[in-house]
Amino acid sequence: MNRIGRKPARSTGVLILAAGQGTRMESALPKVLHPVGGRPMIYYILRVANALKPAAIGVVVGHEAQAVKDEVLQIAKDCGIVRPIQFIQQKKPLGSGNAVVESIPFLRKATGAMVLCGDTPLLTYESLASLQRIHEEQKAQATLLTARLVHPKGYGRILRSPTGDVLRIVEESVATPKEAAINEVNSGAYCFEVAALLAGLGEIGAKGPKAEHFLTDILELVRNKGGRINAHLSSTPEEVLGINNRVQLATAERIINRRMLERLMLSGVTVLDPSSTHADADVEVGQDSVIEPFTVLRGRTKIGTRCRVGPFCFLENAQVGNECDIRLSQVRDCRILEKCSIGPYSNIRPECVIGPRAKVGNFSEVKASRVGFGSKVPHLSYIGDAEIREDVNVGAGTVTCNYDGKQKHKTTIEAGAFIGSGTMLVAPVRVGKKAVTGAGAVVTRDVADGTTVVGVPARPFARNGAKA
Ligand code: UD1
Ligand code: CA
């Protein structure tokens, strides 16, 4: 109580444990940086932590600390997280209990603490908000999120008294066969009264084959000091999945993908075959678009309304306007404006802007180029470093010869030009407005507006058949 008789306001700090090496991943990359749904694992827990509106977020780092810090700061920037983030350096990987001991200065700043693991990306905001609410309503000293799993292997098991009170958590590495048969597990997410947590922390001893300090021992210590421990059983057990190896990583990927596709479907997108469709966590698709089977949408891909994408498409960081049709094609780091038709078998590479109402078709590759309004590259062409303005038809098998072995050069094709089949455009070169190139022309010099050129090397062509 303070002088005017009110309790001091409760404040909560969220602590994310992310210092572990992740030995079981067998990887040079720190575990929490492994991507799931196109984002590093730690992105998910950081976002949920922020949504809980804590006073501050602490992240315990150790293994590859700088890389983890950099990524956390990048995520905070991307997601507009303005809450203070404090990094705590765990000097030695002595276990989750030791990671929390190292965080005491951070924990002291608030009256409540929520402790989360960086390797549990599926935990939902709803469950953690309920955990916090129940903890506060019931005025427990510690409340943990648990789940009943068909296969509890690898998790800490929850030991309860005959009347159902939580007694302690036993880690699998030190569990008896009878304890290991318990299927209620610890999610690794807890709420603590900071005073009770601090009182017990110093007493956690080293245990198990690696002589680690298990944070989970804290519960029994809190209880022994007369504290009350509560458990909140998750109603969606799959959310507690902790990722320790790449088999679990693949399981998490599948679940995040399913959640993502369900979100898209419920917002008005038809996904014909969710089992063969993948969408990363940041993908956006507009209403009444249809995603056909065997389609992978990666990164910041954004698709407009009434599009058809697939079957067999790979889009990565692609911005697609409304009413586009993309089939059996790859589209990366570029923009497709509205009402375009792409594919089958097109490769639209980075830095392209296609359309509106343009067509890139069968076996055509386009790189760092602009294909203007209504223009067509329908068959077997390579277009690189080119500016193709509106209403241009590029005949089958046309190539922009953009590379001289040292440097890339630009090709410009002005509005209304007609490029004959098999034209080689030796860059740098400009084809003028409404100019025409004959089939098989090798264009080594600029073509004036309205002129027709033919041959090798291409020369202006007069209608009476004489070369001009
Ligand atoms: C832990 C829990 C287990 C629970 C499971 C849920 C302990 C002892 N056990 O087991 O009860 O069922 O999570 O997924 O906590 N970490 C550090 N520093 C360290 C060691 C670990 O920061 O020295 C971090 C890791 O980066 C990780 C978290 O703590 O984010 C959990 O460590 P991990 O080794 O994955 O524990 P589990 O064996 O999965
Ligand atoms: Ca884990």
Side-chain angles (χ1 to χ4, degrees):
M1 298 275 177
N2 63 17
R3 275 190 298 144
I4 50 170
R6 279 203 217 110
K7 273 189 184 172
R10 283 192 56 84
S11 64
T12 302
V14 173
L15 186 67
I16 300 173
L17 310 184
Q21 183 179 352
T23 322
R24 292 163 279 182
M25 294 297 281
E26 300 290 345
S27 176
L29 188 68
K31 175 165 72 173
V32 295
L33 299 190
H34 275 262
V36 197
R39 287 282 200 171
M41 208 183 286
I42 197 167
Y43 162 90
Y44 298 91
I45 204 77
L46 200 63
R47 278 194 66 169
V48 171
N50 184 56
L52 292 164
K53 302 192 171 70
I57 298 173
V59 182
V60 187
V61 293
H63 177 70
E64 293 283 351
Q66 196 55 48
V68 176
K69 280 186 199 173
D70 291 349
E71 191 60 53
V72 166
L73 292 173
Q74 186 59 46
I75 294 167
K77 202 169 150 206
D78 281 4
C79 302
I81 297 178
V82 290
R83 223 163 287 285
I85 297 182
Q86 189 183 324
F87 293 101
I88 297 119
Q89 184 79 34
Q90 187 186 11
K91 292 174 209 75
K92 284 191 189 151
L94 299 176
S96 52
N98 174 258
V100 178
V101 168
E102 299 271 19
S103 310
I104 289 175
F106 170 80
L107 296 168
R108 276 192 203 287
K109 292 181 190 164
T111 55
M114 182 182 273
V115 178
L116 304 171
C117 295
D119 66 350
T120 53
L122 303 178
L123 287 178
T124 61
Y125 168 79
E126 290 72 22
S127 288
L128 294 180
S130 306
L131 175 72
Q132 193 168 19
R133 187 174 39 78
I134 290 165
H135 176 71
E136 285 171 13
E137 279 172 8
Q138 310 213 346
K139 299 190 168 58
Q141 274 59 55
T143 308
L144 62 150
L145 181 68
T146 70
R148 285 197 190 283
L149 300 184
V150 181
H151 303 292
K153 195 172 179 328
Y155 294 89
R157 312 296 207 278
I158 309 298
L159 266 64
R160 291 183 183 254
S161 73
T163 53
D165 292 339
V166 176
L167 299 175
R168 62 192 174 94
I169 300 175
V170 59
E171 287 305 302
E172 187 169 270
S173 59
V174 293
T176 64
K178 205 174 153 206
E179 288 165 342
I182 295 170
N183 70 354
E184 187 182 6
V185 304
N186 169 30
S187 69
Y190 328 75
C191 283
F192 292 103
E193 194 88 315
V194 168
L197 177 62
L198 296 184
L201 267 182
E203 293 175 34
I204 296 179
K207 254 194 193 165
K210 292 196 227 152
E212 282 185 285
H213 293 71
F214 294 156
L215 173 61
T216 43
D217 284 350
I218 192 74
L219 297 177
E220 193 178 10
L221 292 165
V222 168
R223 199 181 138 81
N224 288 346
K225 292 181 193 299
R228 196 141 59 85
I229 305 170
N230 249 321
H232 171 48
L233 185 67
S234 166
S235 52
T236 48
E238 70 175 20
E239 73 171 328
V240 308
L241 177 70
I243 300 176
N244 296 325
N245 60 44
R246 299 199 200 216
V247 177
Q248 291 164 329
L249 184 68
T251 305
E253 184 75 40
R254 201 183 64 231
I255 294 169
I256 283 186
N257 186 45
R258 196 199 64 220
R259 285 183 184 174
M260 183 60 195
L261 294 177
E262 283 175 3
R263 195 186 321 151
L264 291 179
M265 290 187 275
L266 294 173
S267 72
V269 177
T270 296
V271 179
L272 288 179
D273 180 16
S275 69
S276 72
T277 306
H278 182 97
D280 275 351
D282 291 310
V283 166
E284 293 173 37
V285 184
Q287 243 182 23
D288 291 320
S289 282
V290 178
I291 311 297
E292 299 237 16
F294 299 99
T295 292
V296 176
L297 306 175
R298 286 232 178 265
R300 317 291 164 89
T301 290
K302 194 172 173 187
I303 296 170
T305 59
R306 298 184 301 284
C307 291
R308 175 170 289 265
V309 178
F312 298 99
C313 281
F314 177 79
L315 274 64
E316 185 167 45
N317 304 321
Q319 306 278 313
V320 179
N322 299 337
E323 293 179 51
C324 288
D325 188 307
I326 306 179
R327 299 181 186 208
L328 296 108
S329 290
Q330 170 165 288
V331 180
R332 289 187 300 130
D333 296 293
C334 64
R335 288 167 66 204
I336 311 286
L337 306 181
E338 63 174 26
K339 296 189 176 168
C340 284
S341 162
I342 309 292
Y345 309 108
S346 297
N347 184 9
I348 314 289
R349 292 171 50 196
E351 295 173 47
C352 286
V353 181
I354 312 290
R357 292 177 186 266
K359 177 179 175 63
V360 177
N362 313 264
F363 303 98
S364 289
E365 172 183 355
V366 185
K367 184 218 93 174
S369 294
R370 173 93 180 83
V371 177
F373 187 101
S375 289
K376 298 186 177 77
V377 188
H379 319 278
L380 298 156
S381 290
Y382 170 66
I383 302 296
D385 306 301
E387 175 77 34
I388 299 180
R389 302 200 205 281
E390 62 273 18
D391 294 322
V392 170
N393 189 76
V394 176
T398 292
V399 173
T400 53
C401 310
N402 60 334
Y403 187 46
D404 61 12
K406 291 196 188 88
Q407 275 180 305
K408 299 282 170 73
H409 300 281
K410 205 177 158 187
T411 301
T412 304
I413 306 177
E414 301 288 358
F418 183 92
I419 308 298
S421 295
T423 295
M424 299 292 123
L425 296 157
V426 184
V429 73
R430 173 185 175 275
V431 178
K433 281 185 197 161
K434 297 201 170 173
V436 176
T437 70
V442 176
V443 181
T444 55
R445 291 194 215 154
D446 289 356
V447 181
D449 293 352
T451 311
T452 298
V453 295
V454 296
V456 181
R459 293 279 184 269
F461 174 78
R463 280 274 163 230
N464 61 11
K467 295 227 166 124

